[in-house]
Amino acid sequence: MSADEQTALLPALDSHYEITKAQVEDYQEKGHVLLRGIAAPNEVAAYEPVISDCVKRLNNHNKPLEERDTYGKAFIQIGNLWKHSEAVAKFSLARRFARIAADLMGVDGVRMYHDQALYKEPHGGHTPWHQDQIYWPLDTDKTITLWMPLVPISEEIGSMTFASGSHKKGFINRMVISDESHKTLAQYIDGKGFEQWTYGAMAAGDATFHSGWTVHSAPGNPTDHMRKVMTIIYIADGLRIAEPQSNSHRSDLASWFPGLGPGDLAASPLNPLLYSRSQNG
């Protein structure tokens, strides 16, 4: 069977997943929300091997865990998988997920920023406190990340921990994921009195969504099993690229908005429109 034939057999992810007004309000107030079963067990079972094979093929980690820095111990991180595999693209560009993102943010439509596999290895380290959006050359609060386990996550491994309401502060500092960001943002969270919220165990196909400005972290993986997570980052359609303020901004501008610059619409060929209410209903 050819790769195209195999891709055609993967389940379509275009059906509508209904979210409630309360869930939208919860997301907008806290900066995060958990939605159960946005992908059915048979759907996750079909896509997990495809995504995992792509991660294995593209992974360039060649050092043992104990020889890596904190960031390197946190996870195997592979971005833009959808450009490397038509099968993965069928997952990452899914209309169902994109519509949820648009509904939670209250926008007409969303574009892909990029997807990322985040596979935390057995006995891998924690992910320090950070804000995703310090990397992104966008001046907006209309960004959101889907975080979906492709395998069951036990209470022992746990899902991410969020500082509820921290997204309302917007930009806090420019610290990239590091021991320093973990220490400094932990002090900030305590000082501001933000509630630390975790959803604990999650089934494959459950997903959290969090704002680009929501401060969050993740525990290490104390088990002998890989924590397999797929993420998709969405941006509201119609956003424009901001003037880069850091090396992280400049790096992301080159990587995810090739050929574009400050003031341009954030709509390169790497940022396809995935859902539009005015176009799709």
Side-chain angles (χ1 to χ4, degrees):
M1 185 182 297
S2 70
D4 288 344
E5 290 171 327
Q6 290 176 325
T7 299
L9 291 176
L10 289 168
L13 299 170
D14 295 330
S15 60
H16 179 48
Y17 179 98
E18 190 71 35
I19 60 174
T20 67
K21 180 181 178 182
Q23 289 170 324
V24 173
E25 291 173 348
D26 212 31
Y27 168 78
Q28 293 183 355
E29 177 63 24
K30 295 180 178 178
H32 58 88
V33 69
L34 168 66
L35 301 179
R36 297 287 186 186
I38 72 166
N42 67 300
E43 293 171 336
V44 182
Y47 281 100
E48 182 276 317
V50 169
I51 295 170
S52 293
D53 285 348
C54 198
V55 170
K56 183 177 180 180
R57 176 164 53 89
L58 298 174
N59 178 30
N60 60 7
H61 271 308
N62 54 18
K63 290 183 179 179
L65 269 173
E66 59 272 14
E67 294 180 14
R68 302 180 204 163
D69 61 13
T70 298
Y71 192 99
K73 291 176 181 176
F75 37 58
I76 297 169
Q77 179 182 30
I78 310 290
N80 262 11
L81 271 74
W82 71 279
K83 293 298 292 181
H84 294 274
S85 164
E86 290 293 331
V88 176
K90 197 170 179 179
F91 180 93
S92 296
L93 306 183
R95 182 173 180 270
R96 181 193 304 163
F97 305 154
R99 180 172 179 172
I100 293 171
D103 288 347
L104 289 173
M105 289 194 292
V107 299
D108 176 77
V110 293
R111 291 182 176 272
M112 164 75 79
Y113 185 42
H114 60 86
D115 64 5
Q116 278 190 139
L118 298 176
Y119 279 35
K120 195 176 287 285
E121 296 159 280
H123 308 287
H126 75 291
T127 306
W129 286 111
H130 65 283
Q131 292 180 295
D132 292 338
Q133 202 167 319
I134 60 104
Y135 292 93
W136 307 341
L138 298 164
D139 184 15
T140 178
D141 62 353
K142 300 304 183 186
T143 64
I144 193 170
T145 296
L146 172 159
W147 190 94
M148 180 190 291
L150 303 175
V151 294
I153 293 181
S154 66
E155 194 79 32
E156 185 181 14
I157 299 174
S159 54
M160 290 188 291
T161 301
F162 301 99
S164 289
S166 57
H167 65 302
K168 296 179 182 179
K169 297 294 183 181
F171 170 80
I172 296 172
N173 63 47
R174 290 195 177 91
M175 278 190 257
V176 297
I177 300 174
S178 62
D179 293 329
E180 184 183 7
S181 76
H182 193 69
K183 179 180 178 181
T184 301
L185 288 173
Q187 292 171 344
Y188 179 85
I189 291 165
D190 289 343
K192 295 294 183 181
F194 291 122
E195 181 182 15
Q196 295 184 35
W197 189 282
T198 181
Y199 294 102
M202 294 173 65
D206 292 345
T208 59
F209 287 79
H210 67 272
S211 166
W213 288 128
T214 301
V215 181
H216 59 285
S217 65
N221 179 5
T223 74
D224 295 327
H225 307 287
M226 183 79 79
R227 189 214 69 180
K228 300 179 180 182
V229 166
M230 188 64 176
T231 70
I232 307 169
I233 303 165
Y234 303 93
I235 60 176
D237 183 33
L239 296 183
R240 292 189 180 273
I241 297 170
E243 187 71 40
Q245 300 295 316
S246 66
N247 288 335
S248 295
H249 281 179
R250 285 183 277 275
S251 176
D252 263 35
L253 177 58
S255 295
W256 313 121
F257 298 123
L260 301 183
D264 290 336
L265 283 171
S268 83
L270 291 182
N271 318 114
L273 182 66
L274 303 186
Y275 172 77
S276 171
R277 204 176 320 279
S278 58
Q279 294 180 22
N280 305 120

